Amino acid sequence: MAKNKAHKKQSFFEWCRGYTGQKYIITVLFLLVPLALLITFTFVPAANMFVYSFQSRDQFGINPEWVGFDNYKTVFTDSDYLSTFKNSLYYLFGSFIQLGLALIIAEILCSKIKFKNFYKATVFFPWMMNGVAVALIFRSFFMKGDGITNTDGALNSIITFFGGNAVSWLSDPKIVNFCLVFASIWRYIGFDIVMFIGAIQSINPDIYEAAELDGANAWQRFWYIIFPGIKPVIGLQMILAIKGAMSVFEIPYVITNGQFGTTTFVIKTIETAFGYKKVGLASAMAVVLLIIIIIVTIVQKLLFNEEADNASMKSEKLFKKKKELI
Amino acid sequence: MINKKLGSNYNGKSPAFRESTPFARFLAKLAMHIFMWLAVLMVIIPLLVVIIGSFKTNKEFFNTEVFTLPDKLNIANYKEAFIGGKVLLGLRNTLIIIVISCAGTIITGTMTAFVLQRFRTMLSRFIKAAFLLATLLPNISMQVTVFQIVNKMGLYDSMLAPIILYIGTDIISITIFIQFLNNISVSLDESAIVDGASYPRIYFSIILPNLLPAIATVLIIKFVGIYNDFYTAQLYMPSKKLGVVSTALYRFIGPYGAKWEIIFAGIVICIIPTLIMFLALQKYIYNGLVSGSVKE
């Protein structure tokens, strides 16, 4: 008996030292902390979010009440909340302009042009900058002086220098959102440019040469070679733009503090949760945002997989042709 | 091929382009440069105004145009921003948080990636799916419920709150490590196994050294991300003494409401570390961005 036990023990140790045993032990040891963190700070809060969204509760969760779909009704009927969706449209519109501009700049920076690196570095740098710093810069840039505590910001100074009248950019609900979108484009366009340049440079240079031999002009080169080549990246950037437009936070939060009709969905969520202490309602908003993001992501996956399939099919066809030629 | 060429000759467009005069080419180049200079001015003007303004006295700030240079370089604003505005403290706190979170991310991230990429068991596939699912969750809105958990754990208003969140919810880094591991040949591991190396040994002496370029990428992305993050610190560290760069700057709005010259000095101080890092690591940053976001 004793002998048998010892044998078993040894084999257990042996199992541990063998590669299968090691695999299991390492899996458990290496994943213990990351998984614990993932569950505690991502999945538990996500589950709570769904549960809370059907409740009326404060931050401490004392006596939560079940209210059914009331919170969701508020999000989609109360004009206070509904108007934040409208504000997202400004940013969505802005991000399409941003993508177009970025594409033009990327195309220019990929041609044979002097000072390329300087141009690229300058237009990219704002993306690296601290968001609060960017927001404060534009808070002053668009400022209108009242003659007592504030002077005109840079924009109004330029306008009055040329004889125009100063405009209250940041307190006129009709124009303030455009100013914020401008600041947002200023900050984020560098990222798109770098992504597009990366995509354009990954196109096989032989194709350019062939096109040049065939006498393609710049427009044809863009439309028939570059555009199809970077389509997946454009798609990805568009999806990111939609997600970004839904979750704008820092720029309106710091520049106008959500006043003058500039509240975005995320600012409203945070305000509802931590200002009004309506955690149930805020959770419902977070769930709505999550659902929108999931839908957008599914659309992206569908479009993307199609792209990938097309690409692989094309390369397969080419491969077959080559084989036939051989 | 030949037919195509003939065709393009017949429609007459392409030869015209090929014969384009040096003058036409010059014009095209000029247009590009003008366009780029407009873009550059758009970026530089707001920054220039801030830099000029940061050296002005309060009087000068009120009485001179935004582009007028100050009489002399006056660094009193910088002193006030550093000490009174607590930017120095903010820089220190930010640095502590960045160092600890980066170390944590690299240890947990590489370990996770190693297990998920090398051991293709059912369990690791399931966990990988769980990590990918987590990328979908909207970061800022999630704080509504994350806050309660952080609060219950007693981490509220301490540096541990952002540190643990930066380590625990960073899935992009794991994705970058996994992608990089895809390109590190398994035959390296196999030959080490033939030599009798254990898995921990493979991790430390093969995987980690080979992952160095990916680690550099993650470090850069992480540094920029944490340095520029605002809402995590704003939400979890309301104490004045726990201010980071972002929140210290944000808190300028109240007390310095009318003193833009001091706010400007704060902005300049906050941007300088970013600028130095950008100039030093430009190429790596561009590459890191492109490789980091291919598969989000």
Side-chain angles (χ1 to χ4, degrees):
Chain A
M1 274 294 269
K3 239 185 182 177
N4 228 346
K5 239 186 185 174
H7 180 73
K8 251 188 186 171
K9 246 186 189 170
Q10 210 185 2
S11 70
F12 176 71
F13 277 121
E14 261 168 19
W15 178 82
C16 286
R17 298 182 84 187
Y19 283 99
T20 332
Q22 269 188 33
K23 230 178 213 180
Y24 283 99
I25 292 169
I26 292 286
T27 304
V28 171
L29 279 182
F30 276 20
L31 291 185
L32 205 60
V33 174
L35 260 189
L37 290 174
L38 181 74
I39 291 169
T40 324
F41 294 106
T42 304
F43 285 115
V44 171
N48 284 347
M49 198 166 83
F50 280 99
V51 176
Y52 293 176
S53 72
F54 296 105
Q55 291 178 333
S56 162
R57 62 184 290 150
D58 65 359
Q59 259 176 318
F60 307 105
I62 303 162
N63 302 327
E65 251 179 77
W66 293 94
V67 293
F69 281 93
D70 277 10
N71 289 327
Y72 291 96
K73 267 183 208 152
T74 310
V75 175
F76 287 111
T77 52
D78 191 324
S79 62
D80 246 20
Y81 292 88
L82 211 54
S83 68
T84 59
F85 286 107
K86 197 193 74 198
N87 285 345
S88 297
L89 292 180
Y90 285 103
Y91 292 92
L92 191 62
F93 175 68
S95 48
F96 286 128
I97 294 176
Q98 178 181 322
L99 285 178
L101 274 175
L103 204 52
I104 295 172
I105 293 176
E107 162 79 352
I108 290 177
L109 292 180
C110 282
S111 63
K112 286 168 194 149
I113 187 171
K114 269 183 201 165
F115 313 123
K116 211 188 280 201
N117 290 333
F118 166 73
Y119 290 147
K120 185 177 173 185
T122 314
V123 289
F124 173 73
F125 183 64
W127 185 83
M128 294 267 297
M129 281 170 58
N130 187 297
V132 177
V134 173
L136 284 174
I137 288 172
F138 280 98
R139 195 173 156 137
S140 100
F141 185 81
F142 287 118
M143 201 159 52
K144 182 175 186 265
D146 54 9
I148 308 158
T149 55
N150 279 327
T151 49
D152 277 345
L155 186 57
N156 277 330
S157 294
I158 294 170
I159 291 173
T160 48
F161 180 79
F162 286 108
N165 288 325
V167 180
S168 44
W169 300 102
L170 294 180
S171 51
D172 185 341
K174 274 185 217 133
I175 43 179
V176 59
N177 276 310
F178 292 104
C179 299
L180 299 184
V181 169
F182 177 84
S184 175
I185 294 177
W186 190 88
R187 183 178 177 203
Y188 291 113
I189 195 169
F191 180 75
D192 293 344
I193 295 172
V194 168
M195 296 302 294
F196 285 145
I197 290 177
I200 292 175
Q201 281 173 347
S202 68
I203 297 173
N204 188 348
D206 293 348
I207 304 179
Y208 288 123
E209 267 173 43
E212 214 166 295
L213 282 176
D214 280 351
N217 62 31
W219 171 249
Q220 287 167 332
R221 197 180 69 142
F222 174 76
W223 192 246
Y224 293 109
I225 299 172
I226 295 178
F227 186 70
I230 64 172
K231 230 169 161 183
V233 178
I234 295 179
L236 178 67
Q237 297 302 95
M238 276 170 115
I239 301 300
L240 288 180
I242 298 172
K243 285 184 187 172
M246 282 308 298
S247 29
V248 182
F249 177 69
E250 261 161 39
I251 283 179
Y253 187 80
V254 178
I255 296 184
T256 59
N257 205 4
Q259 285 173 310
F260 312 112
T262 57
T263 314
T264 62
F265 195 73
V266 172
I267 292 182
K268 197 78 189 171
T269 308
I270 294 296
E271 193 182 69
T272 308
F274 301 106
Y276 311 143
K277 320 258 182 228
K278 291 182 185 166
V279 171
L281 183 53
S283 297
M285 295 180 80
V287 171
V288 169
L289 183 60
L290 174 63
I291 290 170
I292 294 174
I293 287 179
I294 288 177
I295 292 172
V296 170
T297 310
I298 290 172
V299 171
Q300 172 200 7
K301 287 274 140 66
L302 290 177
L303 293 177
F304 245 101
N305 286 344
E306 208 174 287
E307 288 286 338
D309 287 347
N310 278 344
S312 64
M313 263 167 62
K314 265 182 201 163
S315 59
E316 243 170 63
K317 267 185 195 166
L318 271 176
F319 190 67
K320 270 184 191 164
K321 261 190 189 170
K322 267 189 185 167
K323 261 193 171 171
E324 278 165 22
L325 279 174
I326 291 165
Chain B
M1 198 62 183
I2 292 165
N3 272 338
K4 237 187 190 173
K5 254 194 179 166
L6 271 178
S8 68
N9 272 331
Y10 274 117
N11 72 30
K13 266 181 199 163
S14 316
F17 180 76
R18 236 190 288 173
E19 288 159 22
S20 70
T21 56
F23 182 67
R25 246 177 283 155
F26 169 77
L27 273 188
K29 279 269 155 74
L30 188 69
M32 284 183 185
H33 278 291
I34 290 173
F35 187 83
M36 285 317 297
W37 269 104
L38 283 177
V40 166
L41 282 180
M42 283 288 212
V43 172
I44 286 181
I45 286 176
L47 292 177
L48 204 61
V49 171
V50 168
I51 294 169
I52 294 173
S54 71
F55 290 108
K56 287 181 177 176
T57 63
N58 191 259
K59 233 184 192 172
E60 277 175 321
F61 199 87
F62 266 87
N63 299 324
T64 58
E65 289 289 327
V66 280
F67 294 109
T68 321
L69 294 175
D71 284 338
K72 61 183 174 88
L73 282 186
N74 156 39
I75 56 163
N77 298 328
Y78 284 87
K79 261 187 202 157
E80 178 59 30
F82 253 127
I83 310 300
K86 294 199 163 55
V87 173
L88 195 61
L89 183 74
L91 282 169
R92 197 204 68 165
N93 289 343
T94 308
L95 193 69
I96 294 173
I97 292 175
I98 285 180
V99 169
I100 300 176
S101 322
C102 282
T105 300
I106 284 162
I107 295 168
T108 59
T110 50
M111 284 180 168
T112 312
F114 172 61
V115 172
L116 295 187
Q117 204 274 335
R118 285 300 203 246
F119 303 161
R120 305 282 171 96
T121 58
M122 278 292 280
L123 183 69
S124 76
R125 262 185 217 153
F126 175 74
I127 293 170
K128 198 172 169 185
F131 273 104
L132 286 179
L133 191 67
T135 52
L136 286 181
L137 296 162
N139 218 335
I140 303 182
S141 315
M142 278 289 288
Q143 304 307 322
V144 173
T145 46
V146 172
F147 183 85
Q148 338 255 316
I149 289 170
V150 171
N151 201 13
K152 260 183 209 154
M153 293 172 82
L155 299 177
Y156 180 64
D157 209 14
S158 83
M159 270 198 217
L160 274 177
I163 288 174
I164 211 163
L165 287 177
Y166 289 140
I167 297 174
T169 57
D170 183 8
I171 292 138
I172 308 280
S173 301
I174 295 174
T175 327
I176 293 176
F177 287 135
I178 288 182
Q179 265 188 308
F180 211 85
L181 272 180
N182 284 334
N183 297 327
I184 298 175
S185 169
V186 189
S187 61
L188 279 179
D189 305 19
E190 280 159 2
S191 61
I193 287 177
V194 170
D195 290 344
S198 61
Y199 277 120
R201 198 176 160 131
I202 291 171
Y203 167 75
F204 282 111
S205 47
I206 293 176
I207 302 294
L208 268 189
N210 274 304
L211 270 180
L212 277 180
I215 290 175
T217 305
V218 166
L219 279 181
I220 291 171
I221 293 178
K222 198 90 183 153
F223 180 94
V224 176
I226 298 178
Y227 190 83
N228 293 342
D229 182 30
F230 165 61
Y231 67 85
T232 311
Q234 169 80 354
L235 203 55
Y236 294 105
M237 299 193 298
S239 292
K240 283 246 165 68
K241 64 177 198 303
L242 289 177
V244 294
V245 175
S246 301
T247 46
L249 212 51
Y250 181 71
R251 286 170 191 152
F252 273 36
I253 296 175
Y256 299 115
K259 292 185 177 169
W260 277 97
E261 67 281 2
I262 295 173
I263 298 181
F264 283 179
I267 292 172
V268 174
I269 295 170
C270 152
I271 290 173
I272 284 173
T274 318
L275 184 64
I276 292 171
M277 183 176 154
F278 175 60
L279 292 178
L281 301 172
Q282 213 170 328
K283 281 240 165 76
Y284 300 95
I285 292 170
Y286 296 145
N287 291 341
L289 279 187
V290 174
S291 66
S293 67
V294 172
K295 274 192 185 166
E296 244 207 349

